[in-house]
Amino acid sequence: MIHSLFLINRSGDIFLEKHWKSVISRSVCDYFFEAKEKAVEPEDVPPVLQTPHHYLISIFRGKLFFLSVIQTEIPPLFVIEFLHRVADTMQDYFGECSESVLKDNVVTVYELLEEMLDNGFPLATESNVLKEMIRPPTILRSVVNTLTGGSNVGGTLPTGQLSNIPWRRAGVKYTNNEAYFDVIEEIDAIVDKSGSTVFAEIQGVIEACVRLSGMPDLTLSFMNPRLLDDVSFHPCVRYKRWESERVLSFIPPDGNFILMNYHVSSQNLVAIPVYAKQSISFFETGSCGRLDITIGPKQAMGKTVESLMVRIHMPKAVLSANLTATQGNYTYDLATKVLVWDIGKLNPQKLPNLRGSLTTQAGAPKPEDNPSLNIEFKIQQLAISGLKVSRLDMHGEKYKPFKGVKYLTKAGKFQVRT
Amino acid sequence: MTTMQKLLQLPVNAVNIVKTVQSQVQGQEEDKSPVLTPDGGQQAWYNALQPDELRHLRSGGSGGGGGGGGGGDKEEKAPLEEGGSSLQSQPLRHDDLKEMLDSNKDSLKLEAMKRIVAMIARGKNASDLFPAVVKNVACKNIEVKKLVYVYLVRYAEEQQDLALLSISTFQRGLKDPNQLIRASALRVLSSIRVTIIVPIMMLAIKEAASDMSPYVRKTAAHAIPKLYSLDPEQKDQLIEVIEKLLADKTTLVAGSVVMAFEEVCPERIDLIHKNYRKLCNLLIDVEEWGQVVIINMLTRYARTQFLNPNINESLLEEGSSSDKTFYGSEEDEDDEEEKEKKAEAVAIAKRKPYVMDPDHRLLLRNTKPLLQSRNAAVVMAVAQLYFHLAPKAEVGVIAKALVRLLRSHSEVQYVVLQNVATMTIKRRGMFEPYLKSFYIRSTDPTQIKILKLEVLTNLANETNISTILREFQTYIKSMDKDFVAATIQAIGRCATNIGEVRDTCLNGLVQLLSNRDELVVAESVVVIKKLLQMQPEKHSDIIKHMAKLTDNIQVPMARASILWLIGEYCEHVPKIAPDVLRKMAKSFTNEEDIVKLQIINLAAKLYLTNSKQTKLLTQYVLNLAKYDQNYDIRDRARFIRQLIVPTEKSGALSKYAKKLFLALKPAPVLESPFKDRDHFQLGSLSHLLNAKAGGYQELPDWPEAAPDPSVRNVEVFALLERVTTLTSVPEWTKCSSREKRKEKKVEKPFYSDSEGESGPTESADSESDSASSSERSSGSSDSGSGSESEESEEASDSEEEEEDEEEKDKKKKKKKKETKKPRQQSESEQTSDEEEKKRERKSKQCKSDSESESEEEESESESSQSESEESESEAEVKKKKAAESKPPPKPVKKESKKEKKEMSLLDLDDFEPAPSPQVTPVNTFLSNSLVTDLEGLSLSDTVLSPATISPSSALKNYELLHRITGEGLSVEYCFSRQPFSPDGNMVAVQMQFTNSATADAKSLHMEDVKLQSGMRVKEFPEIELLPAGETATAVMGIDFCDSTQAANFQLCTHTRKFFVSIQPPVGELMRPVFLTENEFKKEQGQLMGMNEITEKLTLDAKCRNEHSIVQRVTTAVNVSRVPCGSDKECSPPVPPPAAPVHRFAGRTVTSGSLVLITVVTKEEGAAQLTVNCEKMLIGTMLVKDVLLALTQ
């Protein structure tokens, strides 16, 4: 099982180590550093490395590497998933998962890690259980603790740990009882040069923010649940009810959580909200190139496309870009060779256009390939698949909660090939 | 430092100030310090500069500690002043920390511990603080204590002697009433790796393994591998503990103990037998990490215990029939028999046709929902289980879930793609529909791209190759050169695998030869070389083209490939080849080794084919090689010279030189690197690395013959007990109030077996799932009536036996069946005899329907369907004829007699068929409707005169209006259990109006119906006149919407209005349906989980015989009995079980949901009641009612 954990920042410093069994020298990380040297991008570091005596399984999250040391056979996904859970927990506790924050809260981090694993086997990973054992730091609490001598560590076993709903704390109380659900759909698409769709699908997620007192039992139903092709649930969702009635019945965790992920069946035609007309060309001589991009609305269901942004990973040879944008502004990062054009709201009357010239390195051969465009956008109040929440019912508690559903469509991995 | 952090620190600082003031008493040195004077003006300044740090720096300088540490402190001080926070890394000298730890203020201790832990976290050595820290192990403050534990676990190994000081504290902690303290004491005790305390640990683990709290037991399970790694000699004792914990019924423990099992004794697969079914059933409730471990272990288990489900793929040509066996265990039963017959017929068949073990099926069924887990590891675990264990036809379900994981983090993608790549080689069809999900984006990390490419290549076939090649074409233009190279190789593989596109691919690759990127060209050359080897004669122009490339290409591998190609096919390019050799001879000395070797090869081949032109060149090359630095090349040169240049010495071999060099070489097979990786368990580390990792447990091959499945049988008693604990909890119902539920749960906590400490437990759907499935398993072992386990036993038993024995077996079975059937027939004949006798006394009309009834009883299946259809059509007919004439009272009487017969029919195996007026209502209902139908009579109000119903005295009358409140008019109603003809979804309510007043009541009708939403009422026709002293009846229909909500309305006479309401007992909300036992079981199998409620009860003394049970149940609930005759059919040769089972079936009136009631009686009046109903609320209420009926 998981033997040790090292947190490593991007420049390769180990700033935290935790061992659940006997101590393993941090020199074991050298193998990892070696691999990291070889990789161009941090993402290219192989997640699983083999060393003479250990196996190193790592993830890259928030500019940090979480590196775990394994000694014996274990499903690699088990470790990867756990490491991501650690990162999620940190994010949940401290608002972000960065080196400085973790360093500032090193003791809490350590206590958390201590609770999350026992002898390398996950013990408590539900954030609600953890929060009962180790309370997240807040300003108020630290003041109170100092004055009263209280501590951030719970003295009794969290009820969640024993119950069948470890995700929920007992005795939750709110003055405003509210439940919000965000239906967020992402369009993953590959559009080819000519503008025809090579591949498109919709991935959705329902993010919930539930602040309800007591033990509410919620039922969320959809107008058109048949749309959903493949789903995965938070453990709180009763699978049987979904199977038989296509409703989501659950006792929610307290706070923010992801209720379900879904995939809209690929039989449905996916509406592509925007199109891009682009021409990027490099000249054989003169070490320069031209770029001309126009973005227009395609099938936006009558809604405005917002937060439009185009991101282009330029060939390494491109030195600078001299462009004019009719709307929004652009930046070209020399180090990463990424051209970002932040457009904002898409105005169908006046299509945004970006054109101008690119300077390439003198003497370098003409780039072989034209870079593809990665488009980002958002459409408020629309679920592009047409999924609609029909109602939310609550049982088990007497009060009337405030309920809200929000829809949002955005671009997932939306790529236009050139 | 953010303001937030400052704020956070403020209080800490404040404490420190207080602290320092106090410590003035102790440390006089501090008094001297000018900074310390606690005056307001300076405090603000402290805050900014972190006064506690200052304090310690100061005291460090002046305190009793040696100056040795001072230097080190200064080093660390520098970064701190830049921006460290107080907690993170104060470079306190250890003396100060010791001082703080020795103080009696918890806050000081806490502060010190936090700093020490921060040091540990950064990897700094804090071991010399051990004595000071270990003293605080008994500290009251829980946070301090926890931090001390952290420290102890980290350093105990290094300071074994001192660590022993803490042991007594833990031993005390093990006895603490607080389970958290018990658990953490055990946790730490087992984590400090000190060999001397092994016996203590062993003792503690043993004790904790039988602790009340499941959490402590879980901790005990965790401690097992710790102790094992510390002292492997304890293995035997630990296995005992594992065995004990494996039997634990809580989900909390299951995952951890299986983990321990895997680490300590994975080879002891026999320990799993008894717990196999339980693990399968609990699985969905176990926390996600435990699920992964359990699923992986069960995969291995299943490989040792079950037969390969795909074994008969080749044996049975009729694929469809073999597929059938895979579905549903119930069907298996039938299929099994069919198969056996088949096998008999085809005596030549060497192997028995495959029948899936029900336990195998159980595993597959119970893991499937977990594909929906949010945890990628769980999904992967299920996927590999299906891949390794499921019949081919079913493996497909995992594809969707795996494709879903591709949206996850890139590390998850990486692992999943590796496994998908392996799977696609074996089962390409599975992922074909998801081809596009593997298309590559330019933003994917390179390693992901290459894996996706691998999958795409594996998926390529004749139909999709054109799309794939088009995709590949775009990839070739990518900026990521490694990826381009991989794409070219992928194209090569597609070309070798799919003949049709070989030429297209080749042309495409040749075009790439003019690519500007050398890497691309080089890779293309290598691939083209491999392709050309397949049909070289057709492509001499390509070889020529490539020969030209030798001038430009510098990549050694590519050059070597070209040279080899030219040498190999020199007869196709006779003019160019010598020229190339000439050029190469020139540059020989500058070439890489592999190129040199190929130059020698080329020279040798040319020498053999075209010695005229190349003799000198070859000699020159060989001479150069003779003095090469690389011994390999020197050796080769020497060897070749001997071989090809005929001399006196080497006569014999050189004859064969041509054969040796110009032999036809087989074209290389381009294979996926993922080929044959599936001998590793998918999803495992070993699979990913393609090398056996330490501790990897081989996935065993399927056994030739299945081991005895009975080893998994568990004693009935234990199981039953568990069933009740598991299922007696009320279901999730929409309406039941929270408190109620809670109360109940406290009484019978779910998995934690009523332990004091476990709080109110909550359950999700999974709970019921497991409950139900455990029920299932218990059902299979307890009832003995056609239960699966026994069947499986039979099945596999016979599998193990020799053929002839098998045959015997089958014959026996056949005989049994045959004997059974006649018996049944005779019985029914008997009854029909009786019938005849009675019939004589009766009118003729009844004949037809009674016959049909008995037929109904015998015939299986369909009946329920046809029945309902029938009644529906009847209803229509009746509608038309409604309110016309009266049916004769005869049918009623008939009914009552028939009922008696029915009873005897039902009680086939009963000793004395004690006739009773009670009916299994389906028959009443059926017969009645049949009668009306046959006679062409229509229902009218008077049809259902009280007399009609009286025979089934069970029909209870309820009062609607009392005589006094009604001023002489009294109304009673009962649920007639007749279909309400105008609307099949309504419950017929028969009302009897009695006018005991002196005056006539006129125009009785109803008004102002107040109903809950969804409910409907069909009013009874107005009664114009009810003379004094008379009675009248009317029938109304109410659609209660399957709820027990009351229907409120006003009953009006010409003078008065009365508010009345009708509330149905839940038992009246349904109508009976006829099911055979097999159908019943099948339906029951589908209504498990939340839909099942089980309750134990003690039967009333008067109702211990079968007959009275049936009567009471059917009185309370309008259901029909499921004939138990078929019991015998399926039961094994062993004597029938002692526990008679009574089954009843019905459907709710409105929604038609099935309601299944099972009563299992045991000795001493103990019984168990199970209700399965889709509508949980109804089920719950039904249980209450039936309980009441049976216990009073």
Side-chain angles (χ1 to χ4, degrees), chain B residues 470-491:
Chain B
R470 212 173 308 134
E471 265 302 295
F472 283 176
Q473 231 151 28
T474 54
Y475 300 162
I476 284 172
K477 287 190 254 160
S478 166
M479 282 177 276
D480 184 342
K481 291 306 163 206
D482 292 340
F483 171 50
V484 174
T487 309
I488 293 168
Q489 282 179 4
I491 293 175

Side-chain angles (χ1 to χ4, degrees), chain B residues 5-26:
Chain B
Q5 287 160 3
K6 269 184 196 161
L7 275 169
L8 276 174
Q9 282 160 6
L10 267 178
V12 177
N13 295 336
V15 168
N16 281 321
I17 292 160
V18 174
K19 192 165 64 188
T20 42
V21 173
Q22 285 171 341
S23 62
Q24 281 172 6
V25 189
Q26 300 150 5

Side-chain angles (χ1 to χ4, degrees), chain A residues 17 26 43 60 73 85 104 114 118 125-126 146 164 186 188 231 238-240 369 372 415 417, chain B residues 5 11 15 121-122 187 226 288 372 374 407 411 442 447 471 477 684-686 694 762 765:
Chain A
E17 61 179 75
R26 46 167 77 189
E43 287 88 359
F60 183 68
E73 168 67 42
R85 205 59 70 79
D104 288 346
E114 183 74 23
D118 180 14
T125 48
E126 278 298 336
T146 326
N164 272 24
E186 294 191 356
D188 286 0
V231 287
R238 297 183 184 108
Y239 182 73
K240 278 269 155 113
D369 183 27
S372 50
Q415 199 161 78
R417 289 176 177 166
Chain B
Q5 287 160 3
V15 168
R122 283 181 304 142
R187 226 182 118 181
K226 296 184 205 168
E288 33 196 353
Q372 248 67 46
R374 65 166 171 177
R407 281 275 300 178
E411 297 89 7
S442 59
Q447 47 186 352
E471 265 302 295
K477 287 190 254 160
S684 67
L685 186 62
S686 306
E762 291 297 337
D765 79 323

